[in-house]
Amino acid sequence: MPQHGEHAWLELVRAQVLRRDMPRALELLSQALREYPASTALRRTQAGILQLSGRAGQAEAIFRDLLEQSPADAASAFSLARILKEEGRTAAAAKVLSACFTAGTFAADLAISAIELLDETNRKHDAALICESAIAAHPDDTGLHAYAGMLAIQLGEFERARLHYTFTLERDPRAFEWHVPIGLSNTLRYRNPDHPDFALFRAGLARTDLSDLARAELHFALGKANDDIGDYERAARHFLEGNAIRKRIGNWSRKAWRRLVEARLASKPLIAAAKPVDGFTPVFILGMPRTGTTLLAELLSRYPEVRNRGELPWLARLAQQPDLCGQPDAASLQQAAHRYLTQARQDDAADARWFLDKQPLNFRYVDLALAMFPDAKIIHCRRNPRDTALSLWMQCFLEDVQGYAYDFDDIALVMQDERKLMEHWRGLYPDSIETVRYEELVASPEATTAAKAAWMRLDTTRLAGADLAAAPAGSISTASLWQARQPIHSNSVGRWKNYAPFIPQLASTAFA
């Protein structure tokens, strides 16, 4: 073959990739690298094709070699980090990106891409370090400050979050579209209506250039602020406005929800099951959101050999796979279990055995969870229905799956279906499911948590003397940001009564 320029070789390789002829593409790359052995572009392309061909180990070796030669090679760092993320090696992915972004100075948007990738893998501390480093290089970039605020609040650094959020709001009108006001409202508990945030939120609502979503979030921010100071009538008005907007612009479907629930209730018990995995026991903490799932996970994660993985999306994603519908065979369940295990175990859990998944809506797929992991534990969180409904209605969720939370009739429907499904699963798997009531958890956190730990067969003696009622450490990325960071209290028990005069729907028998 006559000599080609480096670019011409790349075009030939791309043509084979488009034809899905990976062996031929790799053959061409071998020829090209004999002519251009030092070509970063050719070697990076080779690694990418090896990855697509299922040879991730070889791809990783090439990317690591490229980074050894050029530590600030962001393209190779991102490619390697994504391979590691797919394999559940999130600590290694964070190490790769951190080393790269320490080695050079990068544009703000590239740093934000690294921050988002690490945030997705729940590596909040590592993402925050990259963010702060990027701010040092780009001190006036408001987008970086907005991300820094988001990460700080998830890490419980509320004062730092306020500094970044305030910086962004003072300098960039786009901050109203970046969820900054609602984030700012969650950095503290307001004590009086003279706090400057009240005026800031009202000024935002006076603008005429904001999207519906931004206006809704400002109403939720003012609702939260007024709730803090005990002005429940004014808070209710703002929550009504915010929910009305979110309901109007949302796409949650009652019909689709009902089809899902009816199909789940009508499905036959799964016959096949995967084999239990030594040293790995998933614990699914589920139920309606706002029923204490975050709090319970934080308390249980203080036990040795337990890791809290937050709200993992994997069970719901696996449930959509064609080979797991109907009556999946044992091989399909084993493969699904391995994929879930990879993402839950990760590479920072050598001494762990129990892994907490606190995605509340996993109550839809309890049968699949127990078919994948026969030894799994299911903890069902429950709370006073009126307190649950109010707490849901007071949250501005970003996920479409929570779109029912903006209408009390939709909330009542989902709560009713959740009860039906859990009764159904409890009838099928009585020994695998335990219930925790929110009211008991906040009244007696030590006793309630210890009882569940004993049921899980945790070593409860190694937590002797720990103060479970203290504020938790670690990162939290759910709607429970502020509440879960405070010492445990029972102030939210019976909270619905504060709003009963202004929200008549709470008196509905649907929430009895």
Side-chain angles (χ1 to χ4, degrees), residues 189-202:
R189 186 170 300 282
Y190 298 98
R191 300 300 179 188
N192 64 75
D194 297 325
H195 192 285
D197 285 1
F198 283 78
L200 187 152
F201 299 149
R202 288 194 294 266

Side-chain angles (χ1 to χ4, degrees), residues 299 302 445-446 463-471 488:
L299 294 174
R302 300 183 189 189
E446 293 88 353
L463 201 64
D467 182 9
L468 286 182
I488 297 172

Side-chain angles (χ1 to χ4, degrees), residues 26 136 269 380 415:
L26 289 170
H380 178 208
M415 290 175 67

Side-chain angles (χ1 to χ4, degrees), residues 175-194:
F176 286 98
E177 302 289 344
W178 294 345
H179 317 299
V180 171
I182 201 165
L184 185 66
S185 73
N186 281 306
T187 60
L188 53 76
R189 186 170 300 282
Y190 298 98
R191 300 300 179 188
N192 64 75
D194 297 325

